[in-house]
Amino acid sequence: MKIVVVSAGLSSPSSTRLLADRLTAATLQHADADTKVIELRELATEIAQHFVTGFPPARLAAALDAVAAADGLITVTPVFAGSYSGLFKSFFDLIDKDALTGKPVLLGATGGTARHSLVTEHALRPLFTYLRALVLPTAVYAASEDWGEEGLAQRIARAGAELARFTAPAAVPGPGAAPDVDTAAAIAPRSPTGAITSVDPADGFVTVPFEQRLAALRVP
């Protein structure tokens, strides 16, 4: 399993990279994975060149390929003017439009004040939803006063566990194994008429009319 970490911090050391490292460590507590860190400040010139020439230099091309090949992403940006940084956005503007489809992405951001804590929801989440990524439920924002606080550590631990769970390879049932009813029902498709399907382990998928489902809910 491969996890790529994209950090858009501009200083060295930076709180953005620190948060990225903490999220990575929390993920690795629950998953056996190879990790690669991409520091965008080291690629700033190459990113600008790509926009002008239309061709990525070698280091940038390798970073873009790594993101596309990853099983999961950890992305962390500093907050500039109430949103993600321009460098962060520019890098993901260069990602192929299909590269993140269905890929689990853990969102992180850092800022000087708690007033920017919703940046993960009003800026980062819409960006990765547009790219058709699987954005994890828990996003982590760290203001200056959050470091060393128990609440931040708890959010980091929860987010890391989520990424590990969503990037773990799905178990493949053995030959002749009965389908898992709960799992199959959760992903059961709709029929051409829009009726929801349910599962019978013996018969497979069975279409259940909506009226029948409503009748089953009536109080005797």
Side-chain angles (χ1 to χ4, degrees):
M1 188 165 67
K2 299 178 182 177
I3 294 177
V4 171
V5 184
V6 179
S7 172
L10 296 181
S11 59
S12 181
S14 72
S15 59
T16 300
R17 176 59 188 272
L18 177 59
L19 179 57
D21 289 343
R22 295 279 180 86
L23 291 170
T24 303
T27 303
L28 294 179
Q29 287 184 353
H30 303 277
D32 182 14
D34 296 324
T35 61
K36 176 180 177 60
V37 179
I38 298 173
E39 284 278 10
L40 295 187
R41 66 184 180 86
E42 299 175 357
L43 297 173
T45 301
E46 285 91 337
I47 290 172
Q49 289 175 347
H50 190 356
F51 277 109
V52 173
T53 65
F55 298 97
R59 284 200 309 169
L60 177 58
L64 296 173
D65 290 343
V67 169
D71 296 301
L73 295 180
I74 297 173
T75 63
V76 188
T77 178
V79 175
F80 286 173
S83 187
Y84 38 64
S85 72
L87 180 60
F88 183 87
K89 179 62 162 57
S90 295
F91 177 76
F92 283 101
D93 281 344
L94 299 177
I95 296 288
D96 183 87
K97 63 181 181 64
D98 297 319
L100 299 187
T101 300
K103 197 183 301 293
V105 177
L106 195 169
L107 306 178
T110 58
T113 172
R115 290 189 305 236
H116 296 305
S117 60
L118 289 178
V119 69
T120 56
E121 307 307 314
H122 71 68
L124 287 170
R125 196 174 294 275
L127 169 63
F128 287 99
T129 298
Y130 174 79
L131 294 172
R132 300 194 297 277
L134 177 62
V135 186
L136 299 185
T138 299
V140 180
Y141 174 80
S144 298
E145 63 266 28
D146 289 331
W147 294 102
E149 296 294 327
E150 183 179 352
L152 176 60
Q154 291 175 343
R155 295 195 301 275
I156 290 173
R158 183 169 64 245
E162 287 177 359
L163 180 59
R165 184 166 67 251
F166 278 94
T167 54
V172 179
D180 182 272
V181 176
D182 292 337
T183 301
I187 60 173
R190 292 179 178 267
S191 71
T193 61
I196 301 173
T197 60
S198 61
V199 177
D200 183 318
D203 301 329
F205 288 106
V206 178
T207 300
V208 179
F210 183 62
E211 294 80 2
Q212 184 177 335
R213 285 180 170 266
L214 285 179
L217 297 176
R218 293 173 185 165
V219 178

